[in-house]
Amino acid sequence: MIRATQVRPHYRWNEAAADTVVLGFDDRHRRRMTMTGTRGLEFLLDLQQAVALRSGDALVLEDGRLVEVVAAAEQLLEIRGTDPSHLVRLAWHLGNRHLPTQIVGKGLRIRHDHVIEAMVKGLGARVIEIEAPFDPEGGAYAGDGHDGGHDAAHAHHDHGHDHAGHDHKHHAYGHHNHDHHGHSHAHDHEH
């Protein structure tokens, strides 16, 4: 099976793509995985380290052909604040829980989660259920999202540590077992 061993960052390529893969958020952060394009091209993603793929990236096959990455539509919550200051406060609460969050126009997008939905509504947010591609921020250590840095793995697994004098667990809601940086993480989902 032909392998894809490199990634060209989003839209930094102009050749015609041989095929396209439509991937959800979880499948866009892998090191090794068999994939099938929308036109039937089968290949093995075989990177040296896990990379956070973004919509518009190209996977480079061993023979030089490119496969375009497209983010799949997912069930999301779009969170709106009453004003910019309120939105920043809401963003702080999401960040404090290490939730992958996408910043859009006048709101924030997260994966659908009823517990977080109740929390932000309790903080006065307006919440809209949508279906759209999910492309969250990479984090402070992510660079252009292709270095496989610590934050990408950090955002995807549970861990307990102390924040401002209170101990709590963080959750990457909706995640299961994933291959990150060559090793697996199991996730518990207690609330």
Side-chain angles (χ1 to χ4, degrees):
M1 177 178 287
I2 193 164
R3 300 179 312 143
T5 57
Q6 297 175 33
V7 177
R8 286 206 195 147
H10 52 292
Y11 304 114
R12 292 189 192 151
W13 52 278
N14 55 14
E15 301 94 318
D19 209 333
T20 301
V21 286
V22 181
L23 304 171
F25 175 64
D26 290 335
D27 287 334
R28 290 197 323 271
H29 193 266
R30 301 287 182 159
R31 185 189 77 74
R32 188 175 168 92
M33 177 179 168
T34 301
M35 296 184 172
T36 302
T38 58
R39 289 176 248 161
L41 176 63
E42 292 184 17
F43 63 96
L44 175 66
L45 178 68
D46 192 13
L47 304 174
Q48 291 201 357
Q49 61 186 14
V51 171
L53 300 170
R54 301 190 76 117
S55 201
D57 285 351
L59 304 174
V60 183
L61 300 174
E62 292 172 302
D63 63 6
R65 290 181 295 163
L66 303 179
V67 177
E68 182 177 6
V69 175
V70 173
E74 301 185 46
Q75 295 299 314
L76 305 177
L77 298 176
E78 187 161 302
I79 301 165
R80 302 275 179 96
T82 55
D83 58 39
S85 176
H86 184 226
L87 190 61
V88 167
R89 187 167 156 246
L90 293 166
W92 182 89
H93 282 281
L94 297 176
N96 192 45
R97 284 155 183 80
H98 297 263
L99 290 174
T101 303
Q102 181 177 359
I103 300 169
V104 294
K106 297 181 180 180
L108 305 167
R109 290 183 181 170
I110 62 169
R111 295 170 94 183
H112 194 276
D113 182 293
H114 67 280
V115 172
I116 298 300
E117 180 178 11
M119 178 196 76
V120 296
K121 282 182 175 178
L123 293 168
R126 184 166 64 110
V127 178
I128 306 160
E129 292 185 25
I130 65 168
E131 188 171 315
F134 186 48
D135 200 13
E137 291 295 305
Y141 305 103
D144 67 1
H146 294 92
D147 66 353
H150 170 74
D151 75 303
H154 185 75
H156 295 295
H157 66 272
D158 293 342
H159 56 282
H161 59 264
D162 189 72
H163 278 263
H166 63 278
D167 189 47
H168 59 273
K169 283 188 98 75
H170 299 280
H171 302 279
Y173 293 96
H175 286 19
H176 305 288
N177 292 330
H178 301 296
D179 176 20
H180 294 292
H181 305 289
H183 58 279
S184 293
H185 293 283
H187 302 287
D188 73 36
H189 291 282
E190 63 187 63
H191 295 281

